[in-house]
């Protein structure tokens, strides 16, 4: 179906019609979730929000500070499912969709994402999920670690000020505090020892500053089409 489905050509899964995996990585506030959801919807693919998994483990570890985050990560059952127009995140059966977006959880997620045991447990869950079917997966390390053989890799970014503005508008708060927290997260995500946020050598960089969501989505869908 899509021109970039290398895996479907070279490594067909028995009994499967072919598969597409699109990796969308980038820093906080680049618009990954909105764009990835729209691309998944347009192409009829599943959607993996890997950040939601780190957020779930962060929530658990705030609730159970005496338990090792890596243990919490491997024991957790995290599911992401469509719910009306949005997406429902469930952690061990409870709805944590709103709870995992709290600023304290964002900061904790960024801290424990540096823990190699947490990463190992969550990467295993992510790989198991995307092993079958067509997926748009978003995060920081999808194209570099989780799925280095993805058919199409997009690195989405925007200027720090624009990213903070978008997030502040979404949350209805002042952009100054958002920018400071975002800078701290960017620094932690890109300088950590394990799977830091980097651009995969074969990723296509898209700077979304000044572009609206529809234009970015259209560009990615065009990139996923067969050439000619
Ligand atoms: O994407 P989101 O902001 O929801 O991710 C929350 C945090 O989880 C990020 O700040 C980052 O530290 C971590 N993360 C990660 N690797 C991923 C996705 C998210 O380290 N693939």
């Amino acid at each position: 179906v899509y021109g970039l489905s290398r895996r479907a050509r070279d490594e067909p899964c028995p009994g499967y019609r072919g598969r597409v995996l699109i990796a969308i990585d980038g820093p906080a506030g680049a618009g990954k979730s909105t764009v990835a959801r729209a691309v998944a919807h347009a192409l009829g693919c599943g959607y993996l929000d890997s950040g939601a998994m780190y957020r779930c483990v962060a929530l658990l570890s705030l609730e159970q500070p005496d338990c090792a985050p890596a243990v919490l990560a491997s024991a957790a059952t995290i599911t992401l499912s469509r719910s009306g127009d949005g997406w429902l995140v469930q952690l061990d059966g409870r709805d944590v969709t709103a709870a995992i977006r709290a600023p304290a959880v964002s900061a904790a997620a960024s801290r424990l994402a540096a823990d190699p045991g947490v990463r190992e447990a969550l990467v295993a869950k992510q790989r198991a999920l995307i092993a079958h079917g067509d997926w748009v997966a978003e995060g920081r390390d999808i194209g570099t670690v989780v799925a280095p053989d993805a058919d199409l890799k997009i690195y989405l970014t925007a200027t720090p000020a624009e990213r903070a503005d978008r997030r502040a508008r979404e949350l209805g708060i002042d952009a100054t505090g958002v920018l400071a927290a975002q800078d701290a997260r960017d620094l932690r995500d890109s300088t950590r020892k394990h799977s830091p946020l980097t651009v995969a050598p074969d990723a296509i960089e898209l700077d979304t500053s000044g572009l609206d969501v529809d234009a970015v989505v259209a560009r990615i869908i065009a990139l996923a089409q067969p050439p000619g």
Side-chain angles (χ1 to χ4, degrees):
V1 180
Y2 307 107
L4 294 157
S5 183
R6 183 175 59 237
R7 192 195 324 265
R9 283 196 306 273
D10 301 342
E11 303 165 49
C13 301
Y16 184 63
R17 66 186 164 82
R19 54 167 299 185
V20 171
L21 177 54
I22 298 176
I24 301 184
D25 291 302
K32 294 188 302 291
S33 298
T34 313
V35 167
R37 286 171 192 187
V39 172
H41 183 71
L43 298 179
C45 297
Y47 163 62
L48 168 61
D49 175 358
S50 63
M53 291 189 164
Y54 288 89
R55 288 172 180 275
C56 282
V57 177
L59 181 63
L60 281 177
S61 106
L62 290 171
E63 292 170 349
Q64 301 172 55
D66 295 336
C67 203
V71 173
L72 294 171
S74 61
T77 301
I78 302 165
T79 58
L80 188 68
S81 55
R82 207 182 268 281
S83 158
D85 282 345
W87 289 85
L88 176 72
V89 183
Q90 284 174 298
L91 169 60
D92 298 325
R94 65 180 161 132
D95 178 354
V96 294
T97 315
I100 60 167
R101 301 291 154 193
V105 176
S106 303
S110 160
R111 277 197 301 274
L112 62 74
D115 178 331
V118 169
R119 299 207 73 83
E120 196 183 323
L122 293 187
V123 167
K125 288 185 198 298
Q126 291 154 18
R127 286 184 178 152
L129 203 61
I130 62 176
H132 302 284
D134 299 328
W135 290 90
V136 176
E138 60 129 318
R140 305 291 188 292
D141 62 344
I142 305 295
T144 51
V145 175
V146 178
D149 57 345
D151 303 292
L152 174 63
K153 298 181 189 177
I154 303 290
Y155 188 88
L156 216 58
T157 191
T159 61
E162 173 137 355
R163 292 192 279 121
D165 269 357
R166 287 179 191 164
R167 187 52 57 93
R169 273 200 303 272
E170 240 169 61
L171 300 173
I173 56 175
D174 179 62
T176 319
V178 175
L179 183 60
Q182 176 185 280
D183 283 347
R185 273 217 283 161
D186 282 355
L187 186 69
R188 257 199 307 265
D189 286 350
S190 53
T191 56
R192 69 179 174 227
K193 189 163 161 225
H194 299 280
S195 310
L197 173 66
T198 47
V199 188
D202 50 349
I204 295 168
E205 276 193 73
L206 286 184
D207 185 337
T208 66
S209 311
L211 289 180
D212 66 16
V213 172
D214 290 349
V216 178
V217 170
R219 175 102 176 89
I220 296 174
I221 291 170
L223 286 166
Q225 301 303 316

